[in-house]
Amino acid sequence: MKAASLNAHPIHLGTGASAIIQPEFTGDMAWYEAYSARHARDGAEGRLVNIHTFSEPWSMWEMHPHGDEVVLCLSGELTLVQAQQDGSTESICLTPGSYAINKPGIWHTADTDRETTALFITAGIGTEHKPR
């Protein structure tokens, strides 16, 4: 095996302690749909591990119904916004080395005004998106 870029080729952590390099990441919804189809057998136990770099607020909310998501800031600064079940929101500022957890069923988005890179470990099966 040769070295791979986590930005370009996310990893699926599956049952049986497997780690499977994914096809090149395109960032579109079709990529996520294909990912879900490829790893449906792992169900809620599967995890998608990837890195994203962004420099503006997200345009979407997302929610993972079947498991926790870890968001670890690697560089820059981001504010993770979580919509709570009671309708309130919680903002969590992440700086390099700090992380937060999005619990199952919690809609979340992120804000930044500078280049920021974060590592995501996501229970991806069944993920939903909606416009912000």
Side-chain angles (χ1 to χ4, degrees):
M1 180 188 158
K2 61 181 182 175
S5 165
L6 199 52
N7 293 49
H9 294 277
I11 300 169
H12 172 75
L13 301 178
T15 57
S18 63
I20 303 163
I21 297 172
Q22 297 302 291
E24 187 168 359
F25 182 72
T26 61
D28 60 25
M29 296 311 295
W31 190 94
Y32 287 105
E33 290 168 6
Y35 166 79
S36 291
R38 279 193 303 277
H39 300 291
R41 70 187 173 280
D42 289 336
E45 298 307 312
R47 295 291 183 270
L48 176 62
V49 180
N50 56 1
I51 291 177
H52 293 292
T53 299
F54 49 97
S55 56
E56 57 189 36
W58 293 2
S59 62
M60 302 290 283
W61 288 89
E62 68 176 19
M63 184 269 294
H64 313 290
H66 300 293
D68 295 339
E69 176 184 51
V70 175
V71 180
L72 169 65
C73 182
L74 299 175
S75 67
E77 183 177 305
L78 70 102
T79 300
L80 186 65
V81 182
Q82 298 174 334
Q84 304 301 313
Q85 300 293 347
D86 66 3
S88 65
T89 59
E90 181 178 352
S91 296
I92 305 163
C93 184
L94 299 179
T95 57
S98 64
Y99 69 90
I101 298 172
N102 293 313
K103 301 306 282 181
I106 297 296
W107 286 95
H108 54 278
T109 191
D111 291 325
T112 191
D113 60 1
R114 66 184 67 144
E115 186 169 282
T116 297
T117 300
L119 172 77
F120 298 84
I121 305 171
T122 308
I125 300 298
T127 294
E128 297 178 30
H129 295 88
K130 64 182 180 180
R132 193 167 181 190

